[in-house]
Amino acid sequence: MDLLDTLTAKGLRRELPTKEEALAVLSTTDDELLDVVAAAGRVRRQWFGRRVKLNYLVNLKSGLCPEDCTYCSQRLGSKTEILKYTWLKPEQAAEAAAAGLAGGAKRVCLVASGRGPTDRDIDRVAGTISAVKEANENVEVCVCLGLLSDNQAERLRAAGADAYNHNLNTSEGTYGDIATTHTYADRVDTVTKAHGAGLSACSGLIAGMGETDADLVDVVFALRELNADSVPVNFLIPFEGTPLAKEWNLTPQRCLRILAMVRFVCPDIEVRIAGGREVHLRTMQPLGLHIANSIFLGDYLTSEGQAGQADLDMIKDAGFVVEGADEMTLPRHRADVAGGNSCGTGGGCGPCGDGSTAPAGACGTAGDSALSEDSATGDSAVDGDSATAGDFGPNGDEIRTDLVRVRRRGAGTELAPNA
């Protein structure tokens, strides 16, 4: 079709499509879906070959966030029974990171819940970065701590951080609908601070919160304008106990169209399938690899992912290869412009999609050396009016709450991580 031919040609030339063309991708039919994937796949292979970059999350401090982001299980007032703990010790974080790196991850994303770090927190994270890098040669470290104050990005860079993740999440026009304790402008300011300090900027979005197609296009164009090196695409995990527990608006087909739209707008940028891929893409995850060139290995901040070995098998079976530590992630033209700090130099940055799955006021998760006395145990809480399996979402699809599993292993626990 003419639209896909035009978008493919523009992507191969690194030319920005129009917003109308991006919107048209989201309006394609299921009959056209494989053509959409194939077109986006051509652009992906042009700039990233068949490599898949693996990223691994370490939740340094979990839960009890003062921000009110409606999508987040760590938000103020959340009833989701997630793990809650304070800061992990540097050696604990390094041990957790080693598990992901042994599984093939190239980048470690250090995440902590909260509005933003204090100067003492920066010192603490600096020690953790050192511990991770001393134990693992050539590892890329992305940090996600929330809103940054002046000079904090520079201090993280001096401590050895390669990248900083802070997601825009949704369009400026609708941001007030998902959070009131901070603004869209606050998030843009933090991404700008990180970039200005020489950190690779990692910033993405969350789809499935009830936004319009225009909202999705607006936020992706904003990310392109911010010149993020990596764009994590999160699909809302509707945790019971959060205001968005009933927002089951995504189908696998919808997710693939969103990924394709992001790839056409960001042809030579690392596009990562982040939180929610197991919940919403389900058996169509391998098709997502034809569009995105990066995923998270194993578990997320507060939810479980599929088994780490299953991720590796999926990559191999789909005909892709895991990107090595000595391979450049971004195309040379982007890495050169970033002066070696783009997400692409072998041991340089990458993207922490934040990696995070669904960030709270900060990035969205946290971790500690030991569980606090009020730490959650057991399965996630179910409110009396929460959706249960057998209910149906707005698209007529069955709501699969059985697919949302709260993380009970890895960082902050005595159980082995999933990697």
Side-chain angles (χ1 to χ4, degrees):
M1 59 190 295
D2 291 341
L3 169 68
L4 296 180
D5 290 341
T6 297
L7 287 169
T8 300
K10 286 186 173 183
L12 297 179
R13 297 194 301 263
R14 295 186 285 131
E15 182 180 334
L16 185 67
T18 66
K19 285 193 173 183
E20 291 73 22
E21 290 167 339
L23 281 167
V25 174
L26 298 178
S27 298
T28 53
T29 67
D30 286 350
D31 288 341
E32 299 166 320
L33 183 62
L34 289 181
D35 293 328
V36 172
V37 173
R42 279 196 63 194
V43 178
R44 179 246 201 270
R45 291 191 301 277
Q46 167 73 16
W47 303 113
F48 300 97
R50 304 192 70 82
R51 293 174 285 112
V52 176
K53 182 173 184 174
L54 297 181
N55 308 269
Y56 190 71
L57 285 164
V58 176
N59 197 351
L60 297 178
K61 173 172 144 325
S62 185
L64 307 175
C65 182
E67 303 299 287
D68 68 355
C69 307
T70 54
Y71 51 81
C72 186
S73 60
Q74 302 182 85
R75 73 186 296 270
L76 179 68
S78 171
K79 297 179 181 178
T80 309
E81 293 186 356
I82 60 169
L83 294 170
K84 300 182 183 72
Y85 53 91
T86 188
W87 293 92
L88 291 178
K89 292 182 173 64
E91 60 270 21
Q92 293 171 318
E95 182 179 358
L101 296 170
K106 178 177 180 178
R107 165 169 288 198
V108 171
C109 304
L110 303 176
V111 186
S113 64
R115 177 177 177 84
T118 64
D119 286 341
R120 181 182 178 187
D121 292 335
I122 296 292
D123 290 338
R124 178 186 283 116
V125 174
T128 300
I129 293 170
S130 296
V132 171
K133 290 208 162 190
E134 287 174 5
N136 305 280
E137 188 177 2
N138 294 328
V139 63
E140 298 176 4
V141 174
C142 182
V143 181
C144 180
L145 306 175
L147 301 174
L148 293 175
S149 301
D150 290 344
N151 300 318
Q152 289 185 329
E154 287 79 3
R155 291 176 61 193
L156 290 170
R157 180 67 184 136
D162 300 294
Y164 194 84
N165 165 258
H166 199 63
N167 295 331
L168 297 187
N169 292 330
T170 193
S171 68
E172 182 176 12
T174 59
Y175 196 85
D177 295 336
I178 66 166
T180 64
T181 48
H182 61 274
T183 67
Y184 178 90
D186 291 332
R187 287 187 172 268
V188 170
D189 178 66
T190 286
V191 176
T192 302
K193 280 186 170 75
H195 216 305
L199 292 167
S200 172
C202 174
S203 188
L205 63 142
I206 305 173
M209 298 188 291
E211 70 282 336
T212 65
D213 285 0
D215 290 323
L216 289 171
V217 169
D218 283 349
V219 69
V220 176
F221 271 70
L223 292 166
R224 167 81 183 241
E225 186 173 347
L226 281 174
N227 198 27
D229 290 319
S230 58
V231 175
V233 181
N234 294 282
F235 300 110
L236 176 71
I237 301 177
F239 282 104
E240 295 170 358
T242 65
L244 298 186
K246 294 184 178 180
E247 291 290 336
W248 288 77
N249 305 311
L250 299 171
T251 64
Q253 295 84 359
R254 170 77 169 167
C255 293
L256 289 171
R257 291 188 191 95
I258 292 169
L259 287 170
M261 183 271 288
V262 175
R263 173 55 72 201
F264 288 129
V265 177
C266 305
D268 59 343
I269 293 171
E270 178 181 354
V271 175
R272 183 184 310 125
I273 313 177
R277 67 176 163 93
E278 297 88 347
V279 176
H280 296 295
L281 277 169
R282 299 190 287 278
T283 58
M284 295 179 74
Q285 291 180 65
L287 280 180
L289 296 178
H290 288 271
I291 305 171
N293 62 296
S294 180
I295 65 171
F296 282 102
L297 176 70
D299 293 340
Y300 300 95
L301 295 174
T302 62
S303 64
E304 290 185 0
Q306 68 184 14
Q309 187 59 52
D311 288 336
L312 298 176
D313 291 343
M314 176 181 70
I315 292 169
K316 180 179 179 180
D317 292 347
F320 293 89
V321 296
V322 173
E323 182 174 291
D326 60 343
E327 293 183 281
M328 183 173 292
T329 298
L330 294 182
R332 171 63 68 180
H333 63 268
R334 284 194 62 87
D336 288 346
V337 168
N341 282 333
S342 71
C343 314
T345 61
C349 52
C352 155
D354 116 303
S356 313
T357 227
C363 256
T365 35
D368 184 5
S369 54
L371 301 183
S372 59
E373 292 182 359
D374 63 343
S375 293
T377 57
D379 296 327
S380 73
V382 179
D383 293 341
D385 61 350
S386 292
T388 58
D391 289 339
F392 294 87
N395 295 317
D397 298 309
E398 183 179 358
I399 290 176
R400 295 289 305 279
T401 56
D402 59 303
L403 296 175
V404 181
R405 299 186 301 274
V406 173
R407 180 176 69 84
R408 301 292 175 205
R409 59 196 175 192
T413 78
E414 295 181 356
L415 300 178
N418 172 28

